[in-house]
Amino acid sequence: MGQPDQTSSVTPLRAMSRAVSFAAFGSLLLSQVAFAQSASQQPASSGSAASQDNRTTYNAASAADESDDGTIPAANGTTANADDASQRLAIPDAQSGDDITGSILDEDIRRLNTREAPVDETPRRRAAESASTAETPGIPLGTFVLRPSVTQSINTETTKDGNTRQRRAFLETDAAATLTSDWGRHQLSVTSEGAWQRNISGEGEEQPSFKINGDLRLDLPQDTVAHLTAGYNFYREDTDDPDAIANATQQSDVQEFSAGASVQRDFGILRGTTALALTRSIYSDATLASGATVALSDRNQTTGTLRGRVGYELSPALIPFIEATIGRTLYDETRDSAGYERSGHSYGAKAGVEVDLGEKLKGEVGVGYERADFEDNRLSSIDTATLDASLLWSPIRGTDVNLDLQTSIQPTTTAGESGYVSHALTTTVTHQLRDNLVGTIIGGVVWRDYPTDSTVNDELVYTAATGLTWNINRYLDLTSTLGYELTTRKEGSDSQQWRAGLGLKLKR
């Protein structure tokens, strides 16, 4: 950086000496330029050596003659005069690419994805993270990074349905992993998680689950981004599910296969999105207390949904949008076990706004309308107004509030029933109590709203849970959970469930 302007007067003698110095310096610069130009016309075998000698002589002369003037940082960590820097660009042998910016820096500018941090090394230019939020280094696998974790816990559960009470203690093993690519363009991410339970005392149904999802993002030209997705989900139906088999010792195992593709493109201030999603559901037999089984293959189905959205960018933080969806559901069997044709169509539309205020607030809110029609005339159509929201709010550093509100139509296979409307609200609050201690509180409610002509009464499901995670070290956590669920019905007995657990989580 140059020296600040001086306000004191300059004597004639000092002014004259400076003028002579400037003239001598200018003559030296001109001679160096002329010599460099003549050297560039010589054969290639001697041109690089002459140019290197010129740069060495010039740097030495500049350092000797201009030591009293202002200096600027040079690329090699020394200092150089501002005129020196501009003169270097005029030398034919000077490199305007890697020698100035560095090839690694140029490659980072071209990358659309942030580089994965080296194993056991703090990422460059990243603020220090607390023990509870720091990401594990992971396991490098070629151009991918794998981050696995395993949690082993011991749990107790008490279930009360009317006058029936069940208790059980069980071991649960939870495994999760993320696999992320480290490419300059495009990105492939795969996430998976699963749970396996084994009763060690008491009675109660075990609830295994597993799911894996992959997302390939393609960064296409002209502000276009495409996503190709695929997934698999396995779970066992809960005894409180409306379609669960009464008095069954083991409910149906459900397998869901999904695939999808979407394309998003910016047209100036307009943003358009088109998406196609396919889901295949397969149901196994349920087992009764007597050992007999109930076939549920009539519930197997395939659903396809086409969605289109157009957004108007008022600002990068505020994008209003309109969206329309159309879907088709086909059951494997034309008629179910009760003789009803369950296949049908669905339609939906909504308007809302996307919000992105950085770490403080992001997500979207939308209101609309949804309708489902069935091929069997005996099954009445279901329609409802919808209110959907997905917001992540951070009121203060270390505290995150996740609000999720979803309205959906849930078909049923109960004889003579079309289904119900599900209104689900879930709120999750996480707070960093200490640098290595995080507390979590979850609260939610689900309203199963059946049509007025239905013989099934509405249900309300309340859930509440809390948990603590203590980071013992970078790779080991101690976890504890406590949860409660209450299902109320206008007719029939209510059901309750308590659950508590303590576990260790190993991560890499």
Side-chain angles (χ1 to χ4, degrees):
M1 180 178 294
Q3 298 292 336
D5 296 336
Q6 301 294 332
T7 57
S8 60
S9 62
V10 179
T11 63
L13 182 60
R14 185 177 300 176
M16 182 179 297
S17 64
R18 289 189 178 182
V20 173
S21 299
F22 292 156
F25 179 64
S27 300
L28 179 61
L29 294 183
L30 292 177
S31 64
Q32 294 298 325
V33 173
F35 186 81
Q37 291 177 349
S38 63
S40 64
Q41 298 175 359
Q42 295 179 359
S45 60
S46 62
S48 59
S51 176
Q52 180 65 28
D53 292 341
N54 292 342
R55 285 197 297 270
T56 305
T57 303
Y58 176 74
N59 291 340
S62 300
D65 296 343
E66 300 300 320
S67 59
D68 294 335
D69 291 346
T71 58
I72 60 174
N76 61 0
T78 61
T79 57
N81 186 267
D83 294 333
D84 184 359
S86 63
Q87 189 65 22
R88 284 172 180 263
L89 299 178
I91 299 176
D93 294 276
Q95 300 294 326
S96 60
D98 296 348
D99 289 349
I100 295 176
T101 61
S103 59
I104 296 178
L105 177 59
D106 290 340
E107 182 182 351
D108 286 342
I109 292 176
R110 291 192 297 268
R111 290 175 66 96
L112 296 179
N113 302 320
T114 304
R115 287 180 179 271
E116 285 287 344
V119 177
D120 295 331
E121 182 176 326
T122 304
R124 294 177 298 171
R125 298 184 299 274
R126 179 177 294 181
E129 296 179 304
S130 65
S132 59
T133 60
E135 194 174 45
T136 56
I139 303 172
L141 299 175
T143 58
F144 292 85
V145 176
L146 175 66
R147 291 185 172 89
S149 67
V150 177
T151 304
Q152 182 63 57
S153 61
I154 183 170
N155 305 265
T156 178
E157 181 183 88
T158 301
T159 303
K160 181 181 179 182
D161 190 354
N163 296 324
T164 303
R165 184 187 297 270
Q166 285 185 334
R167 292 187 178 92
R168 67 169 178 142
F170 62 95
L171 298 175
E172 180 171 327
T173 303
D174 296 274
T178 61
L179 183 67
T180 308
S181 65
D182 187 17
W183 305 336
R185 292 178 62 87
H186 318 301
Q187 186 180 60
L188 174 61
S189 60
V190 180
T191 60
S192 63
E193 61 182 50
W196 176 80
Q197 296 180 356
R198 180 182 179 183
N199 290 344
I200 56 178
S201 67
E203 297 180 349
E205 187 177 3
E206 299 172 347
Q207 296 286 333
S209 64
F210 174 76
K211 65 179 178 180
I212 181 171
N213 293 286
D215 183 1
L216 174 61
R217 190 196 74 216
L218 301 175
D219 304 309
L220 305 178
Q222 299 180 348
D223 297 327
T224 303
V225 178
H227 287 267
L228 300 177
T229 60
Y232 171 77
N233 187 18
F234 168 84
Y235 64 94
R236 182 167 293 165
E237 276 195 323
D238 192 91
T239 54
D240 286 334
D241 190 279
D243 291 326
I245 303 300
N247 301 321
T249 56
Q250 180 174 313
Q251 299 292 336
S252 172
D253 292 334
V254 185
Q255 300 183 76
E256 294 180 347
F257 302 86
S258 61
S262 66
V263 178
Q264 178 180 299
R265 183 172 180 180
D266 290 349
F267 302 89
I269 59 175
L270 295 179
R271 178 178 301 175
T273 303
T274 302
L276 175 65
L278 298 174
T279 303
R280 168 73 175 165
S281 301
I282 301 176
Y283 295 80
S284 70
D285 298 345
T287 304
L288 301 178
S290 60
T293 60
V294 179
L296 299 175
S297 59
D298 58 341
R299 297 175 61 184
N300 296 346
Q301 58 180 280
T302 302
T303 301
T305 304
L306 179 63
R307 176 175 63 90
R309 173 183 288 197
V310 176
Y312 181 84
E313 185 175 335
L314 293 177
S315 70
L318 197 64
I319 303 177
F321 68 86
I322 56 174
E323 180 180 292
T325 59
I326 182 172
R328 172 67 168 159
T329 300
L330 293 174
Y331 283 77
D332 292 0
E333 300 181 12
T334 305
R335 297 180 181 273
D336 62 12
S337 57
Y340 290 89
E341 298 181 48
R342 296 287 177 178
S343 300
H345 298 81
S346 62
Y347 313 90
K350 67 178 179 179
V353 60
E354 299 178 25
V355 179
D356 188 353
L357 300 179
E359 297 181 354
K360 299 302 295 182
L361 178 65
K362 64 175 57 179
E364 69 176 51
V365 179
V367 295
Y369 173 81
E370 189 173 348
R371 178 183 177 90
D373 297 325
F374 304 92
E375 293 184 354
D376 199 311
N377 295 329
R378 294 172 295 175
L379 300 176
S380 58
S381 300
I382 303 177
D383 62 336
T384 181
T386 62
L387 175 60
D388 300 322
S390 179
L391 296 172
L392 179 60
W393 174 44
S394 180
I396 58 176
R397 181 175 295 276
T399 301
D400 294 325
V401 181
N402 190 356
L403 175 67
D404 187 78
L405 177 62
Q406 186 177 20
T407 305
S408 61
I409 295 177
Q410 300 293 330
T412 184
T413 54
T414 303
E417 298 293 335
S418 302
Y420 61 92
V421 178
S422 173
H423 304 273
L425 171 64
T426 304
T427 303
T428 303
V429 181
T430 59
H431 180 64
Q432 188 173 340
L433 301 173
R434 296 185 62 183
D435 180 68
N436 61 346
L437 184 63
V438 176
T440 303
I441 299 177
I442 302 175
V445 59
V446 178
W447 176 26
R448 297 168 180 163
D449 183 16
Y450 286 85
T452 55
D453 59 350
S454 173
T455 58
V456 181
N457 294 305
D458 295 352
E459 296 179 348
L460 285 172
V461 181
Y462 302 93
T463 56
T466 184
L468 286 174
T469 301
W470 175 35
N471 303 105
I472 300 176
N473 57 44
R474 192 176 190 181
Y475 305 103
L476 186 64
D477 295 343
L478 176 64
T479 63
S480 62
T481 58
L482 177 63
Y484 174 72
E485 179 179 298
L486 170 65
T487 303
T488 63
R489 305 175 178 88
K490 290 184 178 180
E491 294 183 5
S493 58
D494 298 341
S495 61
Q496 304 177 60
Q497 184 182 85
W498 286 92
R499 178 180 291 186
L502 184 67
L504 283 174
K505 179 179 181 180
L506 180 64
K507 54 187 179 179
R508 181 66 173 89

